[in-house]
Amino acid sequence: MREAAPAPSSSHQAGSPHTRARSIQLSPLEALERGFALFRSTFPREAWRYYLGAAPLVVCFIPMWVVNGQIRLSDGALFTEAALLTGGYLLRVWMITGYVQHVRGRAFGTPMSKASGVTLGRLLTWKVMLTVAGLSTLPSIAGPAWFYTACEFASLDAQDRIERQSFTGCLALAGQWFGGSVLLFLALLPLWIAVWLNGLIVAMVVPQLLHSIFGVNTLLSTEMGVYSLVESSAFWVSLFAGTWLAVDPVIKCTFVIVYQHLRSRREGDDLRGLLATLPRDRHKKAQLIASSTAATPAAGTLLVLAAVLAGIALSLPARAAPVAPVRSTVQAVDDSAREARIQRLRQALDQESQRAIYRWHDADHPSPPTWFDKLLAKIGRSLDRAWKRLQSFLRKLWPRGLNLSAGSATGGFWQLKDLRVWLTLIALVTVAAGGVLVYLRQRRQTATLSIPLTLASIPDLSDSAAASERSEDEWFALASRLEQEGDLRSALRAAYLALLAGLAQRKWLTIRRDRTNREYLNEFARRWSRRPQASLEARKEIPEKLRGSLRQFDRVWYGSYALTPEAVTLYRQDQREFLSHV
Amino acid sequence: MLACPPCLRRLARPGARSLSIIGRFRQVLAGVTALACVLGLFFALLRWRMNTPKQHLNFGHVLEERLPG
């Protein structure tokens, strides 16, 4: 430290004041870059705190948002939901404050303190006030950036026991980086949009891919599914939450960097100018030193050669001989002393830059790789290998010696092997295209064949068919025929239509196309209760039986329940028996 | 550590004063009030959501319309 510190300070003193002023400012893009490096380096050990704190609020909020849009709840249930969300918010504040503190401690060695009720209370008050202020100044763009920065600083300040922080202190600190915060906000917009678009594309494409590859039919794989997804506010809330969870921890780490930078400026020690640039400058200096040391032997060799040539060409003057070795000896002693100093400086720089507090600053700084780094490196190597294989494959396909530029046929010649590869490729593409065409043609033929068959088998049993089109006996006859042919669903529908037709013939209900089964049941129950014999014999089991029959039909026809021939026979017989009782 | 100028400057400054009991109580009370505000905000948001339903992923009406005999 004592050896390392003078070197950069002397270099800064040598620079102009303008350079000095510029060097102590942290630009938003640089802060974002450092923040991402800090997030990456602390991800394996600290990120769980963030996600464990942030996930419950999101996981609770989205189902509540969906359910409350569908079901009417009492105020008590709403209050319980709100209390649950408030608990999630409290957990989020507590865990994320801990995350930020641990990240800061890991990067800068700041002491960690436990969050107490007082600290949490103060932090909550500040955050709520700053959030309200930020939201109320949203149209101005600059206002939210300032208040959001102050809000982030409040999280960092809350647990500082060395100094007592204040609300206005956070605002003042945010004001010192006001321009940077606005620019950071603007710089984050493309990042937000990129993450958001990725989420949107995944939500749109994955159901289609599942449908195409595995044949999984979901609502989202239909055309209407996409429209319903786009119209769903729950989808947009989820997308926003996902984007927030992806980008927010990086922003938190960015503000850790900014906060430390501003604190170091306030305390008089320019962290960035004096210390944190050491690892970066180390490489440049090492390169310079390496180039100078590499240049020295070459210059020495040239001098020796020149001396030899001079010795051969000229006779050595006896007077000059004793002076030259003395000068060269003095110069050699100076060089060796300078070299030793440089070596000591380099060692001090190396030693100093190994400290944990500088790891965040340089992404390429040597530090023990974590499992996440190893995983990333492994994935990177696999991708590299795959890319090289693809490149070599494509290179093999490209005919060697083929020059497409006109007029320059120097050395260009075809090889039979290349021609064979091309012919094979063309043949494969032709066969694949032929296969696709045959498949499409067969599919079209199947479709054209299936339509008349479907129409012929159940001509009058579609959803638009009305029970009044045939008599009760005709419907039952049709049901028997369809049952024998094996079309069980249509047979059941025919029996159901026979039931309706029979009830209509007995004046228990009026058939209309726009009526639902529930309306039929209500009408039947009303007329059944008003019949003349009702005062003597209620027979309430009859409407219940009709309810059961209709429900059974709904399950099969609309719910696609599986059917057996015995069940259809039983259903048909039940309807006949029911009609004989009314 | 002590040789580090920033550390010396930090040590030279007076540390944070410990809060009195009333001060602590006031801060906790402010936190609880803030939490109550958050609760009220969530309640209002959920209530608004319930009173202005959207028909997302609700196909009940489709089934109702397909039930004529």
Side-chain angles (χ1 to χ4, degrees):
Chain A
M1 177 74 191
R2 283 173 189 170
E3 282 177 309
S9 59
S10 62
S11 68
H12 278 293
Q13 281 163 5
S16 65
H18 176 68
T19 313
R20 167 75 179 169
R22 196 175 52 190
S23 72
I24 61 170
Q25 285 176 357
L26 188 66
S27 75
L29 278 178
E30 195 178 356
L32 194 61
E33 182 195 346
R34 303 286 182 237
F36 188 75
L38 182 60
F39 170 71
R40 189 169 164 263
S41 64
T42 54
F43 180 84
R45 292 188 184 87
E46 303 298 342
W48 66 270
R49 290 177 202 279
Y50 179 86
Y51 293 111
L52 198 68
L57 183 63
V58 175
V59 169
C60 290
F61 183 77
I62 291 169
M64 286 177 192
W65 186 261
V66 174
V67 167
N68 288 13
Q70 303 287 319
I71 302 169
R72 185 162 287 280
L73 298 171
S74 66
D75 281 351
L78 278 180
F79 186 79
T80 311
E81 285 183 352
L84 204 62
L85 289 179
T86 309
Y89 177 74
L90 191 64
L91 179 73
R92 184 181 183 276
V93 170
W94 181 51
M95 290 293 286
I96 289 178
T97 306
Y99 166 72
V100 168
Q101 196 191 12
H102 276 80
V103 165
R104 197 175 155 216
R106 199 169 280 280
F108 300 106
T110 50
M112 297 180 201
S113 58
K114 284 184 182 177
S116 61
V118 178
T119 310
L120 209 56
R122 186 172 65 219
L123 179 61
L124 276 172
T125 315
W126 290 0
K127 282 184 90 73
V128 167
M129 286 168 71
L130 289 168
T131 306
V132 169
L135 287 175
S136 57
T137 54
L138 200 60
S140 68
I141 296 177
W146 184 35
F147 288 118
Y148 182 74
T149 308
C151 193
E152 295 298 324
F153 290 162
S155 301
L156 288 155
D157 265 349
Q159 295 182 349
D160 201 337
R161 286 186 175 178
I162 298 171
E163 282 185 63
R164 185 179 175 184
Q165 305 301 331
S166 65
F167 181 73
T168 49
C170 293
L171 282 171
L173 200 61
Q176 287 180 19
W177 205 63
F178 176 68
S181 62
V182 175
L183 286 176
L184 179 69
F185 180 71
L186 294 176
L188 281 173
L189 283 179
L191 188 65
W192 269 82
I193 291 169
V195 178
W196 182 84
L197 276 178
N198 272 299
L200 184 67
I201 289 167
V202 167
M204 294 283 185
V205 168
V206 166
Q208 303 286 345
L209 282 177
L210 285 175
H211 176 69
S212 305
I213 297 169
F214 300 110
V216 178
N217 287 318
T218 57
L219 178 68
L220 299 178
S221 59
T222 61
E223 194 177 347
M224 279 307 294
V226 176
Y227 287 114
S228 64
L229 195 68
V230 170
E231 285 180 358
S232 162
S233 62
F235 168 67
W236 295 111
V237 169
S238 311
L239 200 58
F240 178 80
T243 310
W244 185 273
L245 283 179
V247 179
D248 192 46
V250 180
I251 298 172
K252 291 275 182 293
C253 292
T254 303
F255 276 104
V256 168
I257 302 291
V258 174
Y259 180 78
Q260 198 67 19
H261 166 68
L262 292 176
R263 282 286 296 266
S264 66
R265 281 183 64 187
R266 193 179 62 180
E267 287 167 0
D269 49 313
D270 182 6
L271 174 78
R272 183 167 172 268
L274 293 178
L275 297 174
T277 53
L278 280 176
R280 179 184 285 179
D281 289 348
R282 190 170 57 87
H283 294 293
K284 291 177 187 172
K285 283 176 183 172
Q287 283 172 1
L288 282 171
I289 290 165
S291 62
S292 67
T293 50
T296 310
T301 312
L302 285 173
L303 277 173
V304 169
L305 277 173
V308 169
L309 288 172
I312 293 168
L314 305 169
S315 59
L316 284 170
R319 291 185 299 268
V323 180
V326 171
R327 279 184 186 169
S328 62
T329 309
V330 171
Q331 196 174 359
V333 169
D334 286 346
D335 284 348
S336 63
R338 192 179 162 206
E339 186 68 27
R341 262 176 47 208
I342 288 172
Q343 287 299 330
R344 276 207 306 279
L345 184 61
R346 284 181 64 188
Q347 283 173 4
L349 284 170
D350 281 337
Q351 201 176 351
E352 177 63 22
S353 64
Q354 291 297 325
R355 285 176 59 185
I357 59 167
Y358 302 129
R359 272 185 206 145
W360 62 273
H361 196 273
D362 196 351
D364 298 328
H365 195 278
S367 59
T370 59
W371 64 267
F372 187 62
D373 291 332
K374 286 175 188 169
L375 184 68
L376 284 180
K378 196 176 172 185
I379 293 171
R381 279 198 299 273
S382 304
L383 286 174
D384 278 346
R385 275 202 298 274
W387 177 243
K388 278 175 186 168
R389 277 179 195 164
L390 183 69
Q391 272 186 329
S392 64
F393 174 72
L394 292 174
R395 207 176 292 124
K396 278 178 193 169
L397 288 182
W398 188 252
R400 283 177 216 136
L402 177 65
N403 194 352
L404 294 177
S405 60
S408 60
T410 53
F413 61 93
W414 279 86
Q415 288 186 0
L416 194 58
K417 187 180 157 192
D418 300 329
L419 192 61
R420 273 205 304 270
V421 171
W422 274 103
L423 286 175
T424 311
L425 190 69
I426 290 167
L428 282 174
V429 170
T430 310
V431 168
V436 170
L437 283 174
V438 167
Y439 169 71
L440 289 175
R441 193 173 174 182
Q442 280 183 347
R443 198 175 161 190
R444 200 177 300 132
Q445 282 174 351
T446 312
T448 50
L449 280 174
S450 67
I451 291 169
L453 281 173
T454 308
L455 287 174
S457 63
I458 44 168
D460 298 318
L461 291 173
S462 62
D463 286 333
S464 60
S468 56
E469 288 174 1
R470 297 185 185 208
S471 69
E472 172 191 340
D473 293 333
E474 284 174 349
W475 280 121
F476 275 123
L478 182 62
S480 302
R481 186 168 64 82
L482 290 168
E483 193 182 332
Q484 284 168 4
E485 287 173 2
D487 193 353
L488 299 178
R489 288 189 79 238
S490 301
L492 188 113
R493 180 162 172 82
Y496 156 77
L497 291 172
L499 170 69
L500 292 184
L503 290 173
Q505 281 171 20
R506 290 166 179 78
K507 307 293 180 192
W508 288 117
L509 48 84
T510 309
I511 292 172
R512 271 170 45 190
R513 285 180 189 274
D514 60 337
R515 281 198 168 171
T516 64
N517 279 342
R518 181 179 288 277
E519 287 170 339
Y520 282 140
L521 181 65
N522 290 340
E523 188 183 3
F524 176 81
R526 194 171 58 247
R527 290 189 185 186
W528 182 259
S529 62
R530 289 176 188 169
R531 76 188 196 282
Q533 299 90 343
S535 56
L536 301 172
E537 193 181 14
R539 296 187 69 190
K540 287 182 180 174
E541 74 276 6
I542 295 294
E544 286 304 313
K545 274 190 180 176
L546 181 62
R547 183 195 300 275
S549 296
L550 296 177
R551 190 174 291 167
Q552 217 170 341
F553 167 74
D554 283 344
R555 281 179 184 162
V556 172
W557 191 253
Y558 298 110
S560 300
Y561 270 45
L563 271 177
T564 58
E566 293 78 22
V568 176
T569 310
L570 189 65
Y571 184 80
R572 187 164 48 82
Q573 287 170 356
D574 281 350
Q575 307 322 310
R576 271 190 185 282
E577 192 187 341
F578 177 80
L579 287 171
S580 67
H581 288 299
V582 296
Chain B
M1 188 71 180
L2 285 177
C4 171
C7 298
L8 287 174
R9 272 195 289 272
R10 213 169 285 137
L11 286 172
R13 267 199 302 274
R17 282 179 302 159
S18 59
L19 284 170
S20 63
I21 294 175
I22 295 174
R24 284 167 186 269
F25 176 72
R26 201 184 299 154
Q27 290 202 346
V28 171
L29 191 67
V32 171
T33 311
L35 213 57
C37 290
V38 172
L39 183 93
L41 185 75
F42 277 131
F43 183 79
L45 187 69
L46 292 174
R47 196 178 166 81
W48 171 80
R49 168 68 180 161
M50 194 185 70
N51 291 329
T52 52
K54 302 284 177 188
Q55 294 295 325
H56 60 270
L57 302 177
N58 178 13
F59 294 95
H61 64 285
V62 178
L63 197 65
E64 287 292 323
E65 286 164 7
R66 289 183 62 190
L67 282 174

